[in-house]
Amino acid sequence: MEAVITVIGRDAVGILAKVCTGCAQVNVNVEEVTQRILRGTFAMIMLVDLSNASVDFTTFAEKMSAIGTQLGVDIRCTRQELYDAMHKV
Amino acid sequence: MLDTNDILDTIRMISDENLDVRTVTMGISLLDCADADGRRACEKIYNKITSRAKDLVKTADRISATYGMPIVNKRVSVTPIAMLLASAPDADPVWYARALDAAAKAVGVNFIGGYSALVHKGFSAGDERLIRSIPDALAQTDFVCSSINVGSTKSGINMDAVKMMGPIIKAAAEKTKDNMCLGAAKLVVFCNAPEDNPFMAGAFHGPGEPDCVVHVGVSGPGAVRAALAKLPKDASLDKVAELIKRTAFKITRMGQLVGNLASEALGVPFGIVDLSLAPTPAVGDSVANILEEIGLESCGCCGTTATLAMLNDAVKKGGVMASNHVGGLSGAFIPVSEDDGMIKAAERGSLSIEKLEAMTAVCSVGIDMVVIPGETSDAVISALIADEAAIGMVNSKTTAVRVIPAVGKKPGDVLDFGGLLGYAPIMKVSEFAPDVFVNRGGRIPAPMQALKN
């Protein structure tokens, strides 16, 4: 199962490192990362594979959200199908 | 391959523009719960709802967490209770309301619809008893919603039922006067009521529906308004309509996805997506604000009906391609108390009940969540219902009346229901008497539009 992690907020040192560490801790593989600074706002999008994850999706999403709170950024974790449904005909 | 813009677009719609799935509603047929013994029927009703809907809330919450989109309400609609009352002539209808309320609480939904009767051509056994019991049923329960269908394009308008409903609405408000007259806010009078509507207070599970089904109601006025805000003010209306269509497509696809997932997880067939723009009292999540974004100073001014007609049509055109089954009410809702922009328009005097009536000719539903003076006469309320029903009947569309007589309050006062039901100032209604018309009773014949065969 693939999911999309979005990180939006103020840029800070170590965001990518902390999110990747969080993924590695529960055996979630990072497949793709794109990162941009939009008018001072940090926006990072990661595609991750949860098929061998050691925790279920909800626990993983909560873990990511907690990392976000720690870093002062908004981290959301969403199944990719949502974006496909909304943006592809 | 990740498309950054698409992903950020979705995140923004959800986090900043109040995009959500407004309701996942499970329709449950209670036809097999009819029993000559009313107490026994209530037991069967409770058991059927609590077994069919036991996983509804859990499933919707799980989908919401996994896909990162809010699903605001989980609800149940059932077979019109009057159909079950027909076989139990000695039963008290309020027993059935209490059974529905207890079942709703047990499964954790926040409303249950179907304390209803379909009387558009006349009363059958059980219908009149149910209607007379509505004020008590709504006062003695928390989550039960009631609806009565008094007319249709095919059958005309049952004016005997219309005459009955004026005093029933007044009594529903009177019996809950210590609780913001909330009884009347849970009661809708329809013309051309859809059998698969997932939205409250008018949801019921029609007799043509399967045993159990899941419907989804989407929302997203905030997302439409935000998209329009980016258009230049001199962009033509063709461009405005196109942008609304595109946004409605995205919103509806989200609803369709949720419907498919919920249907699969619950093992219940998927019914319909209701393509509605359902506002909330949250700032910016307003249909009135969309009309104002298109170019009106305040909702209710001249131009409102035309703007709303275009909005309603564009929402349907965008949504219909995004979903394989469209149904329910499908259109823009214009409830006053549930829409921040409508509340402000009513407070500043630009929106009148007469303008709302005109608007109902071009959008879904009708005079919705409008607070009227408590001393409004029974006949005036009945005549207001007749006017709305006539608009629905002649235009082959659903119309409805959900007015709340503010018992003991005067024009300018406010009723505050809290939560999604919002608050509203009392609006002025014409006090000239339509009593002779209302008291005639009988049936307004079906219009020529009914003869399509």
Side-chain angles (χ1 to χ4, degrees), chain B residues 423-439:
Chain B
Y423 74 97
I426 296 171
M427 292 177 89
K428 200 175 168 310
V429 184
S430 169
E431 288 165 6
F432 291 99
D435 296 58
V436 175
F437 158 66
V438 169
N439 286 327

Side-chain angles (χ1 to χ4, degrees), chain B residues 248-298:
Chain B
F249 176 84
K250 292 179 195 171
I251 295 171
T252 311
R253 284 288 275 241
M254 192 175 83
Q256 176 75 37
L257 175 70
V258 168
N260 289 341
L261 293 166
S263 148
E264 204 182 303
L266 292 163
V268 165
F270 174 59
I272 53 97
V273 175
D274 189 318
L275 310 176
S276 286
L277 285 181
T280 68
V283 174
D285 201 20
S286 152
V287 169
N289 287 163
I290 298 176
L291 306 180
E292 289 162 0
E293 193 65 57
I294 295 172
L296 305 176
E297 182 188 356
S298 178

Side-chain angles (χ1 to χ4, degrees), chain A residues 36 57 78-79 85 87-88, chain B residues 5-6 10 15 66-67 253:
Chain A
R36 278 207 271 171
F57 188 91
T78 304
R79 292 275 296 267
H87 300 281
K88 287 185 186 157
Chain B
N5 288 334
D6 286 351
T10 301
S15 60
T66 314
Y67 288 84
R253 284 288 275 241

Side-chain angles (χ1 to χ4, degrees), chain A:
Chain A
M1 177 175 65
E2 289 190 327
V4 175
I5 300 174
T6 54
V7 183
I8 298 170
R10 279 170 70 93
D11 197 6
V13 175
I15 294 183
L16 180 60
K18 290 210 168 93
V19 175
C20 287
T21 309
C23 291
Q25 280 166 352
V26 290
N27 205 31
V28 167
N29 188 37
V30 178
E31 296 188 331
E32 199 178 326
V33 181
T34 64
Q35 187 189 316
R36 278 207 271 171
I37 309 281
L38 299 165
R39 292 194 200 97
T41 304
F42 175 83
M44 179 173 79
I45 297 168
M46 300 170 82
L47 184 68
V48 296
D49 180 9
L50 279 94
S51 38
N52 298 313
S54 57
V55 293
D56 67 10
F57 188 91
T58 319
T59 316
F60 178 68
E62 281 164 7
K63 183 182 169 70
M64 285 295 125
S65 168
I67 294 175
T69 316
Q70 226 178 56
L71 292 166
V73 293
D74 177 38
I75 303 190
R76 288 162 189 264
C77 197
T78 304
R79 292 275 296 267
Q80 199 191 352
E81 290 95 318
L82 175 67
Y83 304 110
D84 291 343
M86 285 178 74
H87 300 281
K88 287 185 186 157
V89 179

